[in-house]
Amino acid sequence: MVSATKILLNKTQQEIWHRGESYADKGLVSIISDTDKKVQAVVQGTKEYDVKLRLSTAKIIINCSCPYFTKNGYICKHIVATAIVWDEKRGITRPDQSLVEKVTIPPSALSRQNITTLFKNPLKADLDQLRILPEETALGGYVRRHSRLPNIPKIGLEEGQALTQQEIRKCYSEMKRWTQRKAYDPYFCSGEMVAAFCELLRIIKIRLAATTPLVAAEILLSAQKFNRTLVTELIDDSQGLHEFSEAYLKDIYHYLREFSITADEKDQFVQLLQQFEHSQYVY
């Protein structure tokens, strides 16, 4: 006999599962009709909600009249409670707590406050939190298998060593190659991609101190160009992660504006910075 709870277990948020168990234990589920393949029940919550479950081979078709399900399609506590009661009525034991803890979708590692703080000050954001943001905020808790990417492309970290365009271009090429990995996912890898680029920009800023002003300005422009490619072609930027890379780019821009420039380089240097200004937010 097919178990409804077994099918639902790895698709349900852990907290929702525990709430569903509580509803089942409190006797809040009233089965209206059932067979081995389907069940119709009423669950008493804030008000009465109608629940329907139907088994189809190894799948389950679910429906609940509560807002949590009707608005988002998420598995709700009423569905879990009904599945538990229905299984037990058919002689199927509910999953034990060790299995529940192991298989259900665990609580998010990022709270709403964490996420608000990330976007409030992107330049000071915890990049490790940015890396996992797409997974932690995925609708319904569903996460596709995807590649794990390096924290930063290969680049020299020597503070007193001048930076070259060739060195930076190699970094951009490396990041583009990451997107060719078999398990690369434009959405779920987006946090790692943007975080890696921000890490790269942090190193760029440090090494620009030893770089000639004109080369430094050209590197800023190339970074801006790569950022445009990153957010429009390489990742799914539906979460607005460009705010983080743009913050790092603007930080470098303001840093370069404080450079001491010789008279013969000043006009060209200013023109390069103006190109950066005019190209902001143009995607």
Side-chain angles (χ1 to χ4, degrees), residues 9 12-26 76-77 80-81 84 94-102 104-105 107:
L9 196 62
T12 307
Q13 295 282 348
Q14 197 170 101
E15 182 182 359
I16 294 296
W17 189 272
H18 289 315
R19 290 181 183 179
E21 286 186 311
S22 176
Y23 269 46
D25 292 338
K26 290 177 180 178
C76 62
K77 56 192 174 186
V80 171
I84 290 171
R94 75 174 71 177
D96 61 38
Q97 289 306 306
S98 61
L99 185 61
V100 169
E101 299 298 321
K102 180 180 179 180
T104 53
I105 300 168

Side-chain angles (χ1 to χ4, degrees), residues 147 149 178-186 189 193 234-235:
S147 296
L149 306 179
W178 293 349
T179 69
Q180 297 169 7
R181 296 184 179 189
K182 184 177 180 180
Y184 178 79
D185 188 285
C189 292
M193 286 289 285
L234 304 183
I235 66 170

Side-chain angles (χ1 to χ4, degrees), residues 31-100:
I31 292 182
I32 306 302
S33 64
D34 70 297
T35 67
D36 285 345
K37 297 294 183 181
K38 60 183 179 180
V39 63
Q40 181 177 352
V42 172
V43 182
Q44 182 63 54
T46 307
K47 61 179 185 179
E48 290 188 345
Y49 296 109
D50 297 317
V51 177
K52 294 179 181 179
L53 309 179
R54 180 163 61 87
L55 294 169
S56 175
T57 60
K59 297 181 180 180
I60 188 168
I61 299 169
I62 59 178
N63 190 276
C64 181
S65 61
C66 77
Y68 188 77
F69 179 83
T70 57
K71 290 183 178 179
N72 304 300
Y74 301 162
I75 296 173
C76 62
K77 56 192 174 186
H78 314 108
I79 288 173
V80 171
T82 299
I84 290 171
V85 172
W86 184 34
D87 268 6
E88 291 180 343
K89 185 179 179 182
R90 294 182 297 149
I92 301 173
T93 304
R94 75 174 71 177
D96 61 38
Q97 289 306 306
S98 61
L99 185 61
V100 169

